[in-house]
Amino acid sequence: MSSRKAAAATPPKANATQSAGTAAAAEKLAAEIQRALKAGDHDVLTPEALQTLMTAACRLYAAQVEAGSQTLPVGEVTPTDIMVTASGLMRAGNLAVFELGMWQSWTGR
């Protein structure tokens, strides 16, 4: 095996450090948002910042599921939180519940 192939097959160690730092930053941001919500601050993020964050989280979750992850996307939330968010995601993707049902039956997800 050439050294170029060996280098390509071994992920760089900086990536693991970066991932740990990103995970820590995400957990810190989530905690700050939860604290703000408990204090009644619903404007802790601008609509643009929330949209950017939701877009990244949506894409990351989809990529992880495609890679085989079985982790559910949320922890402790209410059914209303889920329905409001799911409805907004469906509107953003211009999707109907029928299309979701068809996709679920085709993919088994």
Side-chain angles (χ1 to χ4, degrees):
M1 179 188 274
S2 74
S3 62
R4 183 187 306 177
K5 286 183 183 176
T10 306
K13 292 188 183 204
N15 192 22
T17 303
Q18 181 181 9
S19 293
T22 302
E27 290 176 12
K28 181 180 177 186
L29 176 60
E32 290 174 15
I33 292 169
Q34 293 287 17
R35 276 192 295 277
L37 288 172
K38 281 185 181 179
D41 181 4
H42 299 162
D43 296 322
V44 63
L45 294 177
T46 65
E48 296 80 11
L50 178 58
Q51 187 177 50
T52 299
L53 184 60
M54 291 287 292
T55 298
C58 184
R59 287 183 175 159
L60 178 59
Y61 178 73
Q64 288 183 350
V65 168
E66 291 293 323
S69 174
Q70 305 256 334
T71 303
L72 294 175
V74 294
E76 295 180 27
V77 294
T78 68
T80 300
D81 293 338
I82 291 172
M83 296 302 284
V84 168
T85 303
S87 295
L89 290 169
M90 298 286 288
R91 277 193 319 276
N94 196 26
L95 298 169
V97 174
F98 173 78
E99 293 166 308
L100 175 61
M102 290 297 295
W103 180 82
Q104 287 175 325
S105 70
W106 290 335
T107 64
R109 293 185 198 158

